Amino acid sequence: MGRIERWTLGFLSLGSMMAIVVGLPIQLSHSALLPPPADVLLVGGRVYPLWPTPDAVVSAIAIRQGRIAALGSDEALRAWRGPRTRVIDLRGSTVLPGLTDAHVHLAGLGRLRRQLVLTGTRSKEEVLQKLRDYARKHPALSWIVGRGWDQNDWPDPRLPDRADLDRVVPDRPVYLTRIDGHAAWVNTKALERAGIGPTTPDPPGGRILRRPDGSPTGVLLDRAAELVQRVMPEPTVEDWMADLEAGARACIEAGLTEVHDAGISPATWEAYVRLVERGRLPIRVYAMAMYRSGLDERLLAEGPIIGLGDGRLTLRAIKVLSDGALGSRGAALLEPYADEPDSTGLLLVEPDELVGLAHRALDAGVQLAVHAIGDRANRMVLDAFETAFRERPCRDCRFRIEHAQVVHPQDIPRLARLGVVPSMQPTHATSDMPWAPSRLGPGRLQGAYAWRSILQTGAKIAGGSDAPVEEISPLLGLYAAITRQDLRGQPAGGWLPEERVSPLEALRMFTEWAAYAAFEESGRGTLRPGNWADLTVLDGDPLQVEPLEIPRLRVRMTVVGGRIVYESWSP
Ligand SMILES: [Zn+2]
């Protein structure tokens, strides 16, 4: 009997909340029908719940037991105020469903804070100066590891040589990852440690760049970098925990409530589980096991792990690399590179292998998330998925393509038709636009970073950053998706402007559709009553301000499961 009453009350309050949202007065005629008091009541805001319609707007939210209890006007939600309710006046701030980044490398992001940071350097000399300072500051480090250089940003955009590094650090190995993670620049000491010399053959899926005399230049493409990584000291689980915590900290400061971690090892998973057990993971993480890391086999054998630590941590997907990146010409293209006519890039996985893996994933209820940048890689992945689904129909399997950066126009409709979720990073377009046309030539730009064309076919794009390849801030992602311009507003009107999305679509990419890509839309991604109270509070409205203002908005609060995990109200 008691259970039935509770159910009835729940039903009635859901009915009233719906009435509030459409602006009708609530009728609570009996005190027994008063809602239980909220733990937190947010009032005086501009709230975009993306529910019950995508363009709904309210001013107040009641939060109870970590979840959205009700939405409405300040007036309508007075009934939720109890003696112990914490009332927060938002003073006109904007509240969004907790922003989600669908493609992050969280440990890499955290490690950046501990490593030599070369992101944004404008010349080789600047890189070498930073290396000199860092080596002096850390005399005890046995290896000097850094990342973020990009020769495309230098006055002389030729790839560098190990001799440059040897001049600065001759006595310790130096390993510097390129901005896209698909090339490493190392010194002679590092090559010696790895045993790489003139006679070392290129490993499968990788290339050792060579001087005219055949000796290595010190630049290692894609899997050739693994030859050096193999001899570097292994991080401990404690190292991983420190990296993940530093990464999570950067995320909550940027207003993110969840990230999808695009490819982790067994040791990283172990570190995640320990952080959750100790209550030290402030954001939600949807993790993808890296293919052939060992964690993928465990996932296929034991099945998904969903919502550890009150919905904090999920392991449900396997991340596979199918090609390299455009910047280092490792992306697999159907036709040769416009600026390197004898190369079409590298495929890193065999089609049959991918079909076999897809079968196993479908049997185990595991999602596949396949990195594909070039149009050849994207077609190969779609072909493999289509073949796999013929034998084992995909019922809501939501296989993903990470990046889907250059898709042949004929393949674009196949994404939605096959139920594949494109997971795309708007800032990649604005970072790549200065040089992508020379890699691709004018003919192939039509399917490049083609958000509008993809949305028009009915696919839901999950938005992300690929941090630390790009900056972590989701505001930069919203801005890039809406404008296709750099931070100075160039080029006027945006690069390939027909592929821009509306502000509301951009917001859905980083909320609702990112949640869909993780099977989480019934618990988060919108502020529907009953969902987790995951919120991002900003000092301005990204749907209303001039787009150039979006990157300058400030995060006032980040709320995960009703708990404020980050707060900054200073001007
Ligand atoms: Zn990535």
Side-chain angles (χ1 to χ4, degrees):
M1 182 65 185
R3 224 172 63 205
I4 293 166
E5 271 171 14
R6 285 237 309 269
W7 186 85
T8 310
L9 178 59
F11 177 73
L12 284 178
S13 41
L14 181 66
S16 344
M17 284 177 296
M18 294 185 68
I20 295 163
V21 172
V22 295
L24 300 173
I26 356 163
Q27 298 294 325
L28 290 171
S29 54
H30 192 278
S31 64
L33 286 183
L34 272 177
D39 302 323
V40 180
L41 193 58
L42 301 173
V43 297
R46 182 170 177 80
V47 183
Y48 291 102
L50 300 180
W51 179 92
T53 56
D55 56 353
V57 184
V58 297
S59 69
I61 306 175
I63 298 170
R64 199 176 138 75
Q65 292 171 349
R67 293 180 180 269
I68 305 292
L71 299 166
S73 65
D74 294 6
E75 177 66 23
L77 261 56
R78 266 216 303 239
W80 289 85
R81 191 171 176 162
R84 277 188 299 279
T85 300
R86 178 178 176 193
V87 181
I88 299 175
D89 182 359
L90 294 167
R91 291 177 264 158
S93 304
T94 297
V95 182
L96 309 173
L99 294 174
T100 296
D101 189 320
H103 189 118
V104 162
H105 303 278
L106 195 67
L109 176 65
R111 194 166 309 154
L112 250 191
R113 298 193 158 190
R114 308 200 293 163
Q115 281 182 348
L116 169 58
V117 181
L118 301 169
T119 318
T121 44
R122 310 300 299 184
S123 68
K124 187 159 73 183
E125 288 63 41
E126 193 184 347
V127 169
L128 296 175
Q129 187 55 48
K130 290 209 166 190
L131 173 63
R132 190 174 292 116
D133 296 345
Y134 186 84
R136 240 180 242 145
K137 244 195 351 215
H138 302 277
L141 275 182
S142 60
W143 280 69
I144 292 179
V145 180
R147 69 182 295 167
W149 60 275
D150 183 353
Q151 85 285 359
N152 287 316
D153 291 342
W154 301 348
D156 175 4
R158 280 177 304 178
L159 284 166
D161 191 275
R162 65 189 148 97
D164 303 312
L165 301 177
D166 291 345
R167 269 198 302 279
V168 180
V169 182
D171 51 338
R172 289 184 271 174
V174 174
Y175 181 98
L176 306 178
T177 309
R178 194 179 177 278
I179 182 85
D180 62 3
H182 289 273
W185 174 23
V186 305
N187 66 354
T188 303
K189 206 83 192 163
L191 290 175
E192 283 170 12
R193 289 281 178 90
I196 300 174
T199 58
T200 310
D202 289 348
R207 234 173 105 193
I208 301 167
L209 297 191
R210 295 167 204 273
R211 296 170 175 173
D213 67 359
S215 68
T217 67
V219 174
L220 308 167
L221 298 189
D222 285 295
R223 304 196 65 176
E226 292 172 14
L227 299 174
V228 177
Q229 287 167 18
R230 275 209 290 267
V231 298
M232 288 164 68
E234 276 294 307
T236 62
V237 172
E238 285 71 25
D239 289 335
W240 286 113
M241 288 170 72
D243 290 344
L244 293 173
E245 262 193 306
R249 181 84 218 153
C251 290
I252 57 175
E253 287 171 9
L256 290 165
T257 58
E258 172 162 318
V259 298
H260 302 182
D261 196 331
I264 64 167
S265 66
T268 318
W269 175 249
E270 172 67 29
Y272 267 130
V273 171
R274 285 202 207 172
L275 285 176
V276 165
E277 283 169 359
R278 288 162 173 71
R280 275 164 48 191
L281 190 65
I283 52 169
R284 298 184 201 281
V285 174
Y286 180 84
M288 310 175 197
M290 199 66 201
Y291 180 49
R292 296 196 172 229
S293 67
L295 189 60
D296 55 332
E297 285 300 328
R298 224 180 100 188
L299 175 58
L300 288 168
E302 295 169 24
I305 299 169
I306 296 171
L308 284 186
D310 237 3
R312 277 300 149 105
L313 183 60
T314 290
L315 178 64
R316 187 174 183 165
I318 295 175
K319 164 82 180 294
V320 187
L321 292 171
S322 79
D323 68 348
L326 206 55
S328 44
R329 298 189 188 82
L333 299 178
L334 291 165
E335 302 294 330
Y337 279 85
D339 57 359
E340 196 177 281
D342 58 348
S343 169
T344 56
L346 297 166
L347 274 183
L348 303 181
V349 64
E350 292 293 326
D352 290 353
E353 187 183 348
L354 199 52
V355 173
L357 179 66
H359 283 156
R360 295 182 66 201
L362 289 166
D363 289 344
V366 166
Q367 182 187 51
L368 284 193
V370 185
H371 160 120
I373 302 253
D375 50 9
R376 182 157 57 107
N378 276 283
R379 177 168 293 172
M380 186 274 279
V381 174
L382 288 167
D383 288 348
F385 286 174
E386 195 164 5
T387 305
F389 297 163
R390 263 201 296 272
E391 233 177 275
R392 304 228 199 344
C394 150
R395 289 182 203 84
D396 206 27
C397 62
R398 305 189 196 180
F399 279 7
R400 298 166 55 148
I401 295 186
E402 301 302 310
H403 311 305
Q405 213 168 78
V406 185
V407 184
H408 192 284
Q410 283 172 5
D411 290 326
I412 286 179
R414 298 175 71 197
L415 291 161
R417 211 189 312 134
L418 292 170
V420 171
V421 180
S423 162
M424 302 178 77
Q425 300 74 37
T427 45
H428 278 340
T430 49
S431 293
D432 298 358
M433 64 189 179
W435 49 262
S438 63
R439 295 277 189 283
L440 296 170
R444 268 181 301 209
L445 292 178
Q446 216 196 336
Y449 318 85
W451 313 318
R452 160 70 44 213
S453 302
I454 289 174
L455 286 181
Q456 266 165 358
T457 64
K460 297 180 171 77
I461 298 177
S465 68
D466 206 3
V469 178
E470 304 282 352
E471 300 285 330
I472 186 65
S473 170
L475 297 173
L476 297 176
L478 294 174
Y479 171 76
I482 294 164
T483 63
R484 293 177 78 100
Q485 290 174 330
D486 67 18
L487 292 173
R488 290 181 301 274
Q490 296 300 319
W495 182 57
L496 309 173
E498 59 283 359
E499 296 293 347
R500 285 176 307 183
V501 304
S502 73
L504 185 59
E505 286 166 335
L507 177 61
R508 295 175 85 185
M509 286 167 65
F510 284 88
T511 53
E512 202 181 344
W513 296 337
Y516 176 83
F519 304 90
E520 291 171 349
E521 75 279 7
S522 63
R524 55 190 310 287
T526 67
L527 303 182
R528 188 174 54 132
N531 278 3
W532 286 114
D534 291 0
L535 313 169
T536 304
V537 181
L538 303 174
D539 70 345
D541 182 346
L543 302 191
Q544 300 287 334
V545 297
E546 273 301 306
L548 261 176
E549 297 297 315
I550 295 174
R552 287 196 272 275
L553 297 177
R554 286 156 171 277
V555 177
R556 291 300 194 207
M557 279 202 295
T558 306
V559 180
V560 177
R563 236 188 77 223
I564 300 167
V565 294
Y566 172 76
E567 200 168 4
S568 166
W569 291 93
S570 54

